[in-house]
Amino acid sequence: MDMLGDDELYSILRRVSDSRDRKSCSEVSKQWARAEGLTRSFLRLLDPQFLPSFLPRFPNLTTFESCSRVSDPNLDLLAHTCPALKTLNLNLHQTRSGLESFDDIRLDEDFGDDGLRAVAAGCRRLTKVFMRRRKGIGDSGIASLVSLAKNLTVLDLSWCSRITDEALGAIGAVSSLSVLCLHGCSLVTDSGLASLSNGPLLSRSIRRLDLSECDRISDNGVTSLRKLSFLQELDLAECGPKVTDAGIVAIASVSSLRRLSVKWLINLSDAAVLALARDCQYLVELDVTGCELITGAGIRAFSGHGSLEILVLASCYNLTVDDVAVVVSGCPTLRYVGLDRVLRGWMSSSVYERLSGVCRIGWL
């Protein structure tokens, strides 16, 4: 083993992806430990207190993950040590074995805008950044990130409770972003959506937008999203009573739309569904769970649609078995229909067998 030079070791270790095997390799000798560190591209941090002691071994990381508390000094060290970083995943999760609950982390223990600014300045190659439930992140940190990370394609700010329309104004100027998740960002309003939509470059790059549980938006904000002319996926679930038929009819004019969730928008009716069936010719997935005003007259409009594959109709109580049968029989591309369990009692076994022979039926 001692006869191997560094180049040979690097070549070997670049082919070892299993974390346990890499750990075993690093224990062979100091030379192997150094080579393993220099060829490591991925690191998941479980205990942040040890980061200063081992991070310098891994200067060529391209992916860094941590679901634990991470301080501003931690991120500053990361920025100076790993300038080649491309993916930064700092999403917090619900408690489960080995992971820290987001409820266990106090605001003053976690990183904020200072740490994010340090990463933005030191890691200019970032393409994907995930910061779900990081409560310390605010508008200024996001503004720094999007202005310095010129190749940013994915940004997840779900449940970052300090994000406001000001951050969306900065994001609107980005030219490379294709995925933006704002799930649960309750301070976002129509003004922020207008800023996103009016970004001349972002409006052409964005493909997926998650606005679920942004309950301060209304039809005006949703209507402004018509300018996102290449949008393929939009999530408006639980956005509140101010999003009605008018907003969905407007967004139906985005011909590129392929996936849409309008779950629990209680003021949607058949008018919205009819517009989607008529105008969204490439739609492959639609979820109208909890839209109780929708009736069979609206859903039947998808009979003959040429692209729809997934249709979720849970908690839609104004639909009948006949309505479902018309859609399933008339939409040849359909492969899954999610139905409310209540409807199961009204569907005969013969009808169920006939429909399930065409597409999968899920009882929700």
Side-chain angles (χ1 to χ4, degrees), residues 63-302:
T63 300
F64 179 85
E65 293 185 1
S66 178
C67 56
S68 304
R69 62 173 64 88
V70 180
S71 66
D72 284 334
N74 285 155
L75 289 189
D76 186 66
L77 175 63
L78 181 67
H80 285 89
T81 306
C82 307
L85 207 62
K86 292 183 178 180
T87 299
L88 179 62
N89 187 344
L90 300 176
N91 281 350
L92 289 181
H93 305 274
Q94 297 281 3
T95 302
R96 66 180 187 266
S97 178
L99 299 181
E100 189 165 23
S101 168
F102 58 86
D103 291 325
D104 295 333
I105 299 180
R106 298 200 318 265
L107 187 61
D108 59 352
E109 294 178 328
D110 204 23
F111 74 92
D113 289 335
D114 289 343
L116 186 56
R117 278 191 289 266
V119 169
C123 305
R124 300 295 183 94
R125 301 181 190 177
L126 281 171
T127 60
K128 300 178 181 180
V129 177
F130 306 88
M131 294 182 291
R132 182 170 297 206
R133 300 187 190 276
R134 295 290 183 172
K135 300 176 183 178
I137 294 300
D139 296 332
S140 64
I142 296 303
S144 294
L145 175 66
V146 298
S147 66
L148 295 172
K150 301 296 185 182
N151 298 314
L152 193 64
T153 60
V154 178
L155 180 59
D156 188 349
L157 301 174
S158 300
W159 290 289
C160 291
S161 56
R162 295 176 57 210
I163 297 300
T164 74
D165 294 337
E166 183 180 341
L168 270 61
I171 294 170
V174 176
S175 62
S176 58
L177 198 65
S178 62
V179 177
L180 176 61
C181 297
L182 298 168
H183 187 169
C185 292
S186 58
L187 299 181
V188 169
T189 72
D190 292 343
S191 177
L193 298 191
S195 296
L196 283 179
S197 303
N198 289 326
L201 298 177
L202 181 74
S203 64
R204 298 180 64 83
S205 69
I206 195 77
R207 297 294 186 270
R208 180 187 171 201
L209 179 60
D210 185 348
L211 297 170
S212 51
E213 296 188 51
C214 293
D215 54 8
R216 295 194 185 189
I217 68 175
S218 72
D219 285 335
N220 290 332
V222 175
T223 298
S224 70
L225 299 178
R226 289 184 299 182
K227 297 179 182 179
L228 305 180
S229 53
F230 293 90
L231 189 65
Q232 295 180 359
E233 300 182 35
L234 177 62
D235 194 335
L236 295 170
E238 299 183 70
C239 280
K242 294 181 180 180
V243 180
T244 71
D245 289 337
I248 303 307
V249 169
I251 203 67
S253 66
V254 180
S255 59
S256 59
L257 201 61
R258 295 177 61 82
R259 290 179 171 81
L260 176 65
S261 174
V262 291
K263 294 193 301 184
W264 301 107
L265 295 185
I266 59 174
N267 287 323
L268 290 196
S269 71
D270 290 339
V273 180
L274 290 168
L276 292 169
R278 180 186 66 243
D279 298 333
C280 294
Q281 296 301 307
Y282 299 104
L283 194 68
V284 297
E285 182 175 348
L286 176 64
D287 190 339
V288 295
T289 295
C291 299
E292 297 184 9
L293 298 180
I294 292 174
T295 72
I299 293 301
R300 285 176 182 238
F302 277 101

